[in-house]
Amino acid sequence: MNSRIQLNDVARNDALAFMRKSVLFGELDDGQLDTIVRHTQVASLEEGQVLFEQERPASEIFMLESGQIKLARISPEGHEKVIDLITPGGTFAEAIMFSRQQQYPVTATALQDSQVLCFDAKTYIEILHQSTEACFAIMAQMSCRLHWQIAEIDRLTLHNATFRVVAYLLDQVPSTDRGMSRVQLNIPKHVIASRLSMTPETLSRTFSKLNRDGLIEIDDSGMVLRDVGQLRNYAGGEEL
């Protein structure tokens, strides 16, 4: 079981700073934010620890303060498909507020030591009833998530392994980069492979091909993208 505590004054101020930058909470006024924070806990997870399990009753929504969280579906046979990798500032499990069957559709596991803000969903729903701005904010959040998921389905079903790997690597660097850029590979390769709907062996072969082509260079501390501009051109439809 993950360790949870109420927010102290310092943690409360840190949480409010994160919340004000979020689409989910950015349109709320100080009073509404204060109401939510008074019903918020922070969960401290060690690497490999589970925050919640698939199909368990759901009563909270979450925001990652630090670390990294893996969201995955587990098949009846025990096979895992990574659905998303949450980075600090990211929110997740919002959809349960609008589901008749309030169960978590995925399992959330810490890929490294993590701090997670746990918000009471009922409190947030009560605020939605009071605030048109808050309703539009969460509609915007859901719309962005839906468009992202459509693009993700397109990426995973209509493109080859090289395209998927290149797109994943480009997601790890600033959008303005065009030359050389470093990527920290702090996620296990089998997790990346599952996220990209391929086997670890296919991921390794694709890394090797990109390395042979002089586009990436792997070392002990991560990976260097040697020509981000060329990789962006490939993602845009040009040949490597």
Side-chain angles (χ1 to χ4, degrees), residues 2-8 11-12 14-15 37 39-45 51 60 62-66 114-119:
N2 51 75
S3 172
R4 295 190 180 206
I5 58 173
Q6 293 297 129
L7 299 175
N8 59 29
R12 179 180 180 279
D14 290 342
V37 166
H39 295 85
T40 298
Q41 294 181 315
V42 60
S44 299
L45 293 88
L51 177 64
E60 295 175 309
F62 305 91
M63 175 182 281
L64 183 62
E65 278 196 302
S66 63
S114 301
Q115 293 274 109
V116 183
L117 294 172
C118 309
F119 306 105

Side-chain angles (χ1 to χ4, degrees), residues 26-42:
E27 296 297 326
L28 303 184
D29 61 35
D30 290 344
Q32 292 167 330
L33 288 172
D34 185 67
T35 298
I36 291 175
V37 166
R38 284 190 282 108
H39 295 85
T40 298
Q41 294 181 315
V42 60

Side-chain angles (χ1 to χ4, degrees), residues 108-163:
T109 308
L111 288 176
Q112 52 189 259
D113 293 352
S114 301
Q115 293 274 109
V116 183
L117 294 172
C118 309
F119 306 105
D120 179 61
K122 183 179 178 181
T123 300
Y124 190 88
I125 291 171
E126 290 173 353
I127 287 176
L128 290 182
H129 284 292
Q130 305 166 8
S131 171
T132 302
E133 290 79 7
C135 289
F136 276 106
I138 196 166
M139 287 171 63
Q141 177 83 340
M142 296 298 180
S143 178
C144 289
R145 192 69 58 88
L146 178 60
H147 284 293
W148 175 84
Q149 288 174 337
I150 292 172
E152 191 67 8
I153 291 171
D154 178 85
R155 179 187 298 184
L156 297 179
T157 58
L158 302 180
H159 296 285
N160 61 28
T162 301
F163 181 95

Side-chain angles (χ1 to χ4, degrees), residues 38-98:
R38 284 190 282 108
H39 295 85
T40 298
Q41 294 181 315
V42 60
S44 299
L45 293 88
E46 297 179 354
E47 181 181 346
Q49 202 165 11
V50 172
L51 177 64
F52 58 78
E53 293 182 325
Q54 178 179 320
E55 297 182 357
R56 294 290 186 181
S59 61
E60 295 175 309
I61 56 180
F62 305 91
M63 175 182 281
L64 183 62
E65 278 196 302
S66 63
Q68 190 161 43
I69 297 291
K70 172 184 69 176
L71 304 182
R73 288 280 294 175
I74 312 297
S75 73
E77 296 78 22
H79 301 304
E80 178 183 271
K81 172 64 178 79
V82 177
I83 302 299
D84 201 1
L85 299 172
I86 306 298
T87 55
T91 57
F92 52 105
E94 306 97 324
I96 63 104
M97 291 188 293
F98 307 103

Side-chain angles (χ1 to χ4, degrees), residues 76 94 101 107 109 125 188 190 197 205 217 237:
E94 306 97 324
Q101 292 185 333
T107 294
T109 308
I125 291 171
H190 73 275
S197 294
R205 286 195 297 269
E217 181 178 321

